[in-house]
Amino acid sequence: MTVSQTSFGSHEPVLEIKDLTVKYRGDTRSTTAVDRVSFSIGVGEIFGLAGESGCGKSTIANAIMRLLRDPAEISGGSIRFGGKDVLAMRPEELRRFRWQDVAMVFQSAMNSLNPVMTIGDQIVDIYTTHAGYTRKESLRRAAELLELVRIDPARLKSYPHQLSGGMRQRAVIAMAVALKPSLLILDEPTTALDVVVQQEIMAQIKELQRELGFSVLFITHDMSLMVELSHRMAVMYGGRIVETAKAKDIHAAPLHPYTQALMGAFPPLTGPRVPLTGLADGVKFSNIADLQEVSPAHFVSPLPALQGAQP
Amino acid sequence: MSTPVSARPAPAAKEQDLTQTGAPALEVKGLVKDFHSGGLFSRASVRALGGVDLAIRKGEIVALVGESGSGKSTLARCIARLEKPTAGQILIDGTDVLKRDRFQASREYRSRLQMVFQDPFGSLNPVHRIEHFLTRSLTLHGKAGTPDQLRRRLDELMTTVGLTPDMLNSYPHELSGGQRQRVAIARALAVEPEVILADEPTSMLDVSVRIGILNLMRQLRDKQGISMLYITHDLASARYLADRIAVMFAGELVEEGESLDLLANPAHPYTRLLVSAVPDPARTGSYDPHERAALRAAVMESASCAFDGDAEQRCSATEPVRHRVGDPANEHWVRCHLYRPPATAASHALSAEPLESPDASPTDDSRTENKASA
Ligand SMILES: Nc1ncnc2c1ncn2[C@@H]1O[C@H](COP(=O)(O)OP(=O)(O)OP(=O)(O)O)[C@@H](O)[C@H]1O
Ligand SMILES: Nc1ncnc2c1ncn2[C@@H]1O[C@H](COP(=O)(O)OP(=O)(O)OP(=O)(O)O)[C@@H](O)[C@H]1O
Ligand SMILES: [Mg+2]
Ligand SMILES: [Mg+2]
C-alpha cells in the first residue's frame, strides 16, 4: 500500500513514516503496539494523531525520537526525516537530531523536569549548551519563553514542585520551542491547562509555527482542539491507523465507526443532560485492513463485517 | 463500562440522606494555604488558597474548575492531608479532622477518603507491579479477604476501569498514560471510600473511554452514595457528571451553582471567559488571539476592581460577598463586585443584603483578610 497524501506547503515531507511496526516483548505480555503505520508530515504542516488510550500514539512518538528501549523492538518499516534514515543514525547525528531538529513534549511532561534545578537554570542550560549563548543572554531569552507560555518570569526561580501541574506542562512546552526545531512533537501537551490558557498557548505555537515554518506532530484526545488546529489528522485504533484525511473533512464526515464514536462522544454544553455511552459494549475492531482512498486524500480502513458495531 | 447513566437520584432520596446525618460528607471552612516561596532564607510566601468554603453532601458530585495555577490541586491535597493548611477547618461528617488527628491523616481517614492524583506518571512507584498497588490498598483497609476473593477483586477492579486483568503483572512504565490514569482510579476505588477527590482523573483518556469512566463514577454515587470532588478542565464532562460546579480563581471560589444553570448563566467574568473559550470545531476560522487577549486582560490582569472605592457600592468597602444568581433552587451564587443581576430580577439587586451562606458566621472573619478576586 502506498499512501501518497498531498502534503501541506511542500512536496518534500519533513517526516515520512512507512509501515512502522513496534512490538513490546514481555515475559507475560507481548504487544504489537504499532502495526504497519504510515503517514507523512509536510513542511509547515500540523498533523494530528488521535485514538484510543493505549493504541500506540506515544510509542510512535518515541520511535521517531529513537527513545524506545529494550523490550520494545522496531520490527519493521522506516522513519525518514528530511530524507535521512532516522533508524540508521549514529550517536552524534542522533544528538543533533534530538536537540536541534526535533523537540518533543512528553506526555509525562509534568513529571519530566529536573526536580533539583530551578526552571530558569534548566532553560538557561539548554541555551548555553546547545545554542552557545552567554548566561545573561540565555536568562533574557528564558524570561521571554516563560512569557510566551503565560508564566510570570518571576517563576524562573521556582523549582518544579512549586509550580502547579499546568505550569510545569507549560514550562516544558517553552523548553521544547527554545531551540526552534524543525519538527515539534507534542504528546498531550495541554491535559492540565484550562481552556483559556490552552487556547492562548496553542495560538502562540501556531503563530511561532507560521513564523518559523516548523512542522508539528500533535497528539491529543481533545478532538475539538485537534480539528481546530491541525491541517491533516489520523485516527488510530489497536496500533493501526483507521482513518486519515484533512482535519476538516474528518470533522465534517467521519467514516470509520471508531472515528464516529470519538467525534460523537463528547457531552454537549447546552441542553438537557443525555446519557452517553462510549463505544457500545463488546464493539472491538480486529484485523484492521489497510487504508483505502474513498475520496480525494481521505483514507479509511474498510470494515469487512461490522462486528456488532452500532451506528 | 458502558452501562447507561441512570437517572439522577430523586431529590427525596438525597434529602433523606441529609437528614439522617445532618452534616455534609465533606466540608471545608475558611481554608487558607500559604506556601513558602523564594530562597532558603527568604520569608516571602504565596497565598495559594485564600479562605475557601466548600461543602459536598452525601452522594453528591461537585466539579471544581478554574485557571491553571488557581489552587485546585492544593485544595485537594490539603483535604487529603498531604499539605498542612495554614488556617481553616476540614470537617468530615461534622468532625474537624485537623483537630482530631493533628499531625497526619489516620488510616481510618484514608479509608474514608481517597485521592486520585493529577499526574499519573509521578504517582505510581516504578518498582512495583500494578498488582502490588491494588493489593496493598485492599489489604491496608481490610478489603482483601481470602486469596481467592482477592484474586477476583483484583480482576474485577481492572475490568471496571476498562483494563485487562493481565496488566496486573505490568510495571507502570509499561502502561500508556491513559492506562496509568485508570490504575490510579482503580487504586482509589479498591478502598471503597466515602469520599473521592479526583484531580483530573480522565485527562489522558480518549472520549469514548472517558465516558465509560464518568458513567462508572456516577454509578458509584448512585449505588453506594459516594461523594466526589471532581477537578477538571473539561467543562463538558463537569456538566455531564457533576451536580454542582465550583469555579476557582486566584485561590478563591468565585462562583458555584447547579451545573447546568452555572454554565448557562455564568455570572463571574472569569467563568464567562472560561465558558466562552471552550473549543468549538464548528467555529469558522481560528479564534482571534487579540480579541481573546483583550477579554482576558479585562478579567485577569486588572490590578484592582473597577468598583473599589465607589461609596455607592456597599460591598466595595470590604471583600466581595456572595450574591445569589437566579432561582434559589439552583444554589447559584457569585462573589464579585462587578456582578449586576439582570434588570428583570430586581428583587436581588446589588444593594440588597448580601446572601447569607448557611454557615457564614464562623468564616466571615477569615474572609475579610484577603482581597483577591474581581
Ligand atoms: N515498555 C512497555 N512494555 C510493554 N508494553 C508497553 C510498554 N510501553 C507501552 N506498552 C503498551 O503498548 C501499548 C501502546 O502504548 P502507548 O503508550 O503508545 O499508547 P498511547 O496511544 O500513547 O496511549 P495513551 O493515550 O493512553 O497515552 C499499550 O497497550 C501499552 O500498554
Ligand atoms: N509546594 C509548593 N511551594 C510553593 N508554591 C506552590 C507549591 N505548590 C503549589 N504552589 C503554588 O500554588 C498555586 C496553586 O497551585 P495548584 O497546584 O494548586 O494549582 P492548580 O489549580 O491545581 O493548577 P493546574 O490546573 O495547573 O494543575 C500555584 O501558584 C503554585 O505555583
Ligand atoms: Mg500516550
Ligand atoms: Mg493541579
Side-chain angles (χ1 to χ4, degrees):
Chain A
M1 177 198 58
T2 48
V3 182
S4 54
Q5 290 139 356
T6 39
S7 288
F8 185 83
S10 156
H11 302 295
E12 175 79 9
V14 173
L15 183 76
E16 196 169 17
I17 293 180
K18 270 219 178 92
D19 291 326
L20 182 69
T21 302
V22 183
K23 292 196 166 96
Y24 292 103
R25 297 186 190 283
D27 21 289
T28 53
R29 204 162 65 93
S30 276
T31 339
T32 303
V34 179
D35 189 5
R36 291 161 291 156
V37 162
S38 305
F39 64 89
S40 62
I41 306 180
V43 175
E45 184 177 44
I46 302 182
F47 186 82
L49 193 56
E52 234 199 331
S53 165
C55 71
K57 303 178 297 294
S58 300
T59 303
I60 291 178
N62 286 325
I64 297 169
M65 293 293 279
R66 285 273 307 270
L67 287 170
L68 290 174
R69 300 246 172 70
D70 201 11
E73 183 202 352
I74 298 184
S75 53
S78 65
I79 302 174
R80 303 184 77 80
F81 178 84
K84 261 196 246 153
D85 184 353
V86 173
L87 299 181
M89 280 182 187
R90 280 162 296 123
E92 57 296 4
E93 265 181 299
L94 206 54
R95 204 169 310 125
R96 202 200 118 80
F97 172 72
R98 280 198 196 132
W99 279 103
Q100 329 247 292
D101 294 339
V102 188
M104 175 158 164
V105 174
F106 293 92
Q107 190 173 12
S108 57
M110 233 183 272
N111 189 41
S112 68
L113 292 161
N114 183 341
V116 298
M117 269 171 96
T118 64
I119 302 300
D121 284 345
Q122 295 187 49
I123 304 182
V124 164
D125 231 38
I126 295 178
Y127 278 130
T128 48
T129 341
H130 299 282
Y133 296 137
T134 62
R135 201 185 144 73
K136 199 171 154 218
E137 171 69 6
S138 303
L139 256 178
R140 190 185 63 75
R141 286 176 182 256
E144 268 175 26
L145 272 185
L146 283 197
E147 275 179 339
L148 185 83
V149 293
R150 299 289 185 267
I151 298 180
D152 181 353
R155 296 286 189 155
L156 284 171
K157 292 205 184 72
S158 293
Y159 288 91
H161 77 274
Q162 297 177 318
L163 301 181
S164 78
M167 288 170 173
R168 272 177 275 154
Q169 230 173 20
R170 282 179 272 162
V172 173
I173 293 176
M175 290 179 195
V177 297
L179 296 176
K180 310 196 161 105
S182 32
L183 174 67
L184 180 61
I185 302 177
L186 302 171
D187 192 354
E188 305 252 21
T190 60
T191 50
L193 303 181
D194 62 274
V195 277
V196 179
V197 171
Q198 179 193 62
Q199 287 196 351
E200 284 185 11
I201 305 264
M202 293 320 288
Q204 288 282 353
I205 288 182
K206 198 157 184 173
E207 213 168 282
L208 264 185
Q209 182 262 340
R210 253 190 239 119
E211 187 185 315
L212 302 172
F214 57 81
S215 312
V216 181
L217 173 58
F218 181 35
I219 300 173
T220 183
H221 286 302
D222 187 333
M223 298 303 278
S224 350
L225 188 66
M226 171 160 294
V227 169
E228 214 171 342
L229 229 62
S230 317
H231 300 114
R232 278 187 311 131
M233 61 180 279
V235 176
M236 281 181 75
Y237 183 95
R240 301 225 69 191
I241 292 185
V242 296
E243 184 162 0
T244 175
K246 281 196 185 119
K248 294 212 163 54
D249 293 346
I250 288 196
H251 174 245
L255 296 176
H256 195 275
Y258 181 68
T259 318
Q260 289 167 352
L262 278 192
M263 290 292 180
F266 36 78
L269 269 172
T270 50
R273 271 200 197 88
V274 267
L276 292 173
T277 51
L279 266 182
D281 221 1
V283 174
K284 290 260 189 305
F285 305 100
S286 52
N287 299 322
I288 295 165
D290 287 348
L291 296 173
Q292 281 177 9
E293 188 164 12
V294 288
S295 57
H298 195 150
F299 296 78
V300 183
S301 161
L303 287 175
L306 293 173
Q307 300 122 341
Q310 292 171 9
Chain B
M1 280 275 303
S2 55
T3 323
V5 185
S6 48
R8 309 211 302 128
K14 234 191 210 171
E15 222 103 276
Q16 200 185 1
D17 254 351
L18 262 180
T19 45
Q20 266 168 15
T21 64
L26 169 72
E27 187 170 13
V28 296
K29 290 185 178 174
L31 207 71
V32 173
K33 175 67 188 172
D34 292 336
F35 281 112
H36 181 82
S37 71
L40 209 49
F41 304 105
S42 142
R43 296 183 145 239
S45 71
V46 286
R47 175 150 294 191
L49 295 177
V52 171
D53 301 322
L54 180 71
I56 304 179
R57 301 185 188 110
K58 288 225 158 60
E60 187 179 42
I61 301 178
V62 174
L64 181 62
V65 304
E67 239 203 320
S68 168
S70 61
K72 302 179 297 298
S73 299
T74 304
L75 176 61
R77 293 175 58 86
C78 282
I79 297 172
R81 307 285 313 267
L82 299 163
E83 303 281 3
K84 196 174 177 305
T86 309
Q89 291 178 298
I90 299 170
L91 307 167
I92 290 270
D93 270 339
T95 316
D96 185 347
V97 293
L98 294 172
K99 281 227 179 77
R100 195 187 55 193
D101 321 314
R102 289 205 41 201
F103 301 104
Q104 55 169 335
S106 60
R107 176 174 308 165
E108 192 239 331
Y109 187 66
R110 274 179 279 139
S111 74
R112 299 177 72 174
L113 182 143
Q114 281 283 309
M115 175 156 177
V116 180
F117 295 96
Q118 184 173 17
D119 178 12
F121 289 88
S123 60
L124 297 172
N125 186 333
V127 304
H128 295 301
R129 294 180 195 269
I130 303 310
E131 177 164 0
H132 170 92
F133 301 111
L134 301 186
T135 307
R136 187 156 181 275
S137 278
L138 288 167
T139 340
L140 258 180
H141 300 281
K143 306 262 152 76
T146 67
D148 252 14
Q149 287 169 325
L150 172 64
R151 168 71 21 213
R152 240 177 297 131
R153 186 82 184 102
L154 288 173
D155 289 1
E156 190 184 286
L157 273 170
M158 293 296 274
T159 332
T160 18
V161 294
L163 298 175
T164 51
D166 65 351
M167 285 185 187
L168 285 166
N169 279 315
S170 303
Y171 289 96
H173 76 264
E174 298 174 342
L175 299 188
S176 78
Q179 289 166 343
R180 285 183 219 219
Q181 264 186 335
R182 284 175 278 169
V183 169
I185 293 170
R187 178 167 64 171
L189 296 184
V191 179
E192 296 172 34
E194 292 159 27
V195 180
I196 294 182
L197 311 172
D199 195 351
E200 308 252 19
T202 60
S203 61
M204 293 178 194
L205 301 178
D206 63 272
V207 279
S208 141
V209 174
R210 185 177 304 171
I211 287 292
I213 296 285
L214 296 180
N215 288 343
L216 170 70
M217 301 209 270
R218 185 190 287 254
Q219 242 178 56
L220 288 171
R221 189 276 296 279
D222 290 351
K223 291 208 184 115
Q224 296 167 25
I226 285 187
S227 312
M228 197 172 321
L229 182 68
Y230 172 58
I231 300 179
T232 187
H233 286 302
D234 179 4
L235 290 184
S237 78
R239 185 181 192 272
Y240 182 71
L241 181 65
D243 304 296
R244 284 187 296 138
I245 296 179
V247 183
M248 195 161 216
F249 181 70
E252 308 208 356
L253 291 187
V254 294
E255 186 165 2
E256 190 183 317
E258 194 277 324
S259 304
L260 304 199
D261 185 54
L262 183 129
L263 291 179
N265 308 300
H268 193 277
Y270 176 70
T271 318
R272 286 195 194 146
L273 178 65
L274 201 60
V275 173
S276 77
V278 174
D280 179 6
R283 185 161 45 212
T284 41
S286 235
Y287 96 107
D288 178 358
H290 302 291
E291 190 188 318
R292 172 76 65 226
L295 188 52
R296 184 186 156 88
V299 177
M300 315 191 69
E301 278 148 35
S302 57
S304 67
C305 171
F307 289 81
D308 250 356
D310 177 352
E312 298 289 293
Q313 304 302 335
R314 286 178 65 154
C315 64
S316 71
T318 56
E319 272 293 275
V321 293
R322 294 183 173 193
H323 299 283
R324 179 185 299 140
V325 180
D327 185 349
N330 290 327
E331 300 174 280
H332 185 170
W333 58 261
V334 62
R335 270 176 73 203
C336 175
H337 288 311
L338 290 177
Y339 177 65
R340 292 288 179 280
T344 48
S347 55
H348 301 302
L350 197 64
S351 57
E353 284 301 308
L355 172 68
E356 286 293 329
S357 62
D359 44 62
S361 33
T363 52
D364 262 4
D365 312 349
S366 62
R367 215 186 276 158
T368 40
E369 279 165 24
N370 48 81
K371 217 169 159 50
S373 47

